[in-house]
Amino acid sequence: IDVSAFSPDHSKVLLASRAIGQAGVAQVFSMVDGKLLYELPDNGWPFHGAGPFRDDIGSASFSADGSRIVTGEAGGGNHSHLGYIWDARTGRKLHDLRTGNHYGFGGTFSPDSRKLIGEVDSDVNGAWEVASGKPIYRLDHINYFGLKLSADGTRILTFSCEDDPSKVAQCSVQVRDAATGLLLNIIRFRLRDVSADRFVAYAFSPDGSEVMIGGQEDGSAHILNTASGGVVRSFEGRVGPVNSVAFSPIGSMVLTAGDDHAVRLWDHEDGRLLHILEGHQGSVERTFFSPDGSRVVAYTDNDRIWLWDTKTCRGLELQH
């Protein structure tokens, strides 16, 4: 399974995958009895004469009201229909989102489910009306790593970072009006002692008011305010660079993880170290909270997946 997405009420789950050399498949299952509800139909772009998708399915999500699904192809196609809006009840295709680019597409619904914010290959983003599929605006050559829609749906936040030979990463967060795409603010900051070939870890808070960054060789991580650009809090005490950071779903805790084989759980309000989650071996490449914040998941560089309880800190390795 390459992509998964749950409906807001957890009654459905979308699972998408593609075998090497074959067309992609996206299916929606009932979470009540596990039965297949429907398979998303052919998008009109055959894969060697057959199959429901021309390219890999790289992203999928449900709208907040559960009525729509957006899927995005991972790129490499020969057409500009890289995003699709579907009826979540029937699986009927409603709209092709013409991006004009032959690259990957990822879509995020606004909280009222009326607008879709899309990103195309970390270079282009835009907005579409969900009801009609018509474009509202398009922004080119933004050059960013990740996009976040604020909790109230009024702002778009994008993160970007460039390294230079002196090991000083030039990072920025752009804050844009979600209705028009107009630039409201740019937060610029520099990270010293970042390896030129190391990706800077980042995560936006659930409401989009803060961004957490890491990647410095001294093992530190920092939270910045996306309105003012000021440093809210710093987290230190690691050995080696931070590869992954994350906010809990309600923003009360944060995670840092990296090359020192440990996942650290911190209190967001006072920066206090709550727990060091251990038991695994290998550098941690990615870590995140479960949707309810009760679990922490970590992927290590030796192809292991670990799971911890945030209250008891008991961990176990998942078999896969």
Side-chain angles (χ1 to χ4, degrees):
I1 301 300
D2 300 311
V3 175
S4 62
F6 290 91
S7 62
D9 61 1
H10 282 203
S11 65
K12 303 181 185 74
V13 60
L14 180 148
L15 303 176
S17 63
R18 197 194 85 163
I20 297 176
Q22 299 180 15
V25 176
Q27 297 174 316
V28 175
F29 295 86
S30 168
M31 289 292 290
V32 177
D33 53 19
K35 291 183 178 180
L36 175 66
L37 298 176
Y38 54 81
E39 183 173 304
L40 297 185
D42 193 322
N43 64 7
W45 298 91
F47 184 89
H48 298 313
F53 283 88
R54 166 59 181 86
D55 300 306
D56 288 327
I57 300 165
S59 65
S61 63
F62 284 80
S63 61
D65 63 6
S67 68
R68 298 290 184 264
I69 296 171
V70 61
T71 61
E73 297 183 11
N78 297 315
H79 53 84
S80 59
H81 295 257
L82 291 176
Y84 306 88
I85 296 178
W86 312 83
D87 186 310
R89 185 177 61 85
T90 65
R92 182 171 62 95
K93 185 175 70 173
L94 300 175
H95 305 294
D96 294 340
L97 305 177
R98 297 173 180 263
T99 67
N101 291 68
H102 308 310
Y103 303 101
F105 176 89
T108 301
F109 288 99
S110 61
D112 62 7
S113 303
R114 298 173 62 183
K115 184 187 302 178
L116 181 74
I117 305 297
E119 53 181 319
V120 187
D121 195 44
S122 301
D123 185 53
V124 177
N125 74 31
W128 287 262
E129 293 179 352
V130 172
S132 66
K134 294 181 179 179
I136 301 172
Y137 59 80
R138 173 189 171 98
L139 305 171
D140 292 289
H141 309 301
I142 301 176
N143 189 24
Y144 60 93
F145 290 144
L147 178 148
K148 167 77 175 180
L149 192 63
S150 63
D152 61 6
T154 62
R155 294 171 296 136
I156 299 171
L157 303 107
T158 59
F159 177 86
S160 64
C161 193
E162 296 181 1
D163 294 343
D164 62 30
S166 63
K167 290 188 177 183
V168 178
Q170 310 291 337
C171 304
S172 66
V173 172
Q174 290 191 5
V175 183
R176 294 180 177 271
D177 183 276
T180 63
L182 292 177
L183 183 64
L184 301 176
N185 189 22
I186 299 180
I187 303 165
R188 292 185 174 89
F189 52 93
R190 304 170 70 186
L191 289 180
R192 296 187 177 277
D193 299 321
V194 175
S195 299
D197 60 350
R198 175 173 292 280
F199 182 79
V200 175
Y202 74 95
F204 288 105
S205 63
D207 64 0
S209 65
E210 296 175 336
V211 60
M212 188 175 185
I213 56 171
Q216 291 175 277
E217 294 179 355
D218 64 4
S220 62
H222 312 276
I223 293 179
L224 289 84
N225 184 286
T226 56
S228 67
V231 175
V232 176
R233 193 158 291 106
S234 296
F235 302 86
E236 300 176 346
R238 302 196 62 88
V239 179
V242 172
N243 299 331
S244 180
V245 296
F247 286 86
S248 65
I250 62 173
S252 61
M253 296 180 291
V254 295
L255 292 172
T256 62
D259 285 359
D260 63 357
H261 299 196
V263 177
R264 284 172 169 78
L265 185 65
W266 308 82
D267 185 279
H268 172 267
E269 293 303 318
D270 57 19
R272 178 169 46 94
L273 178 63
L274 300 175
H275 302 290
I276 299 178
L277 306 178
E278 298 177 304
H280 60 290
Q281 299 294 321
S283 298
V284 179
E285 295 185 339
R286 184 187 174 209
T287 187
F288 55 91
F289 287 92
S290 63
D292 63 359
S294 65
R295 301 287 189 274
V296 169
V297 183
Y299 293 87
T300 63
D301 65 353
N302 56 359
D303 198 29
R304 297 288 191 270
I305 302 175
W306 274 74
L307 179 72
W308 292 271
D309 185 291
T310 55
K311 291 184 178 179
T312 66
C313 297
R314 293 176 181 172
L316 57 90
E317 183 180 349
L318 302 182
Q319 301 300 318
H320 66 102

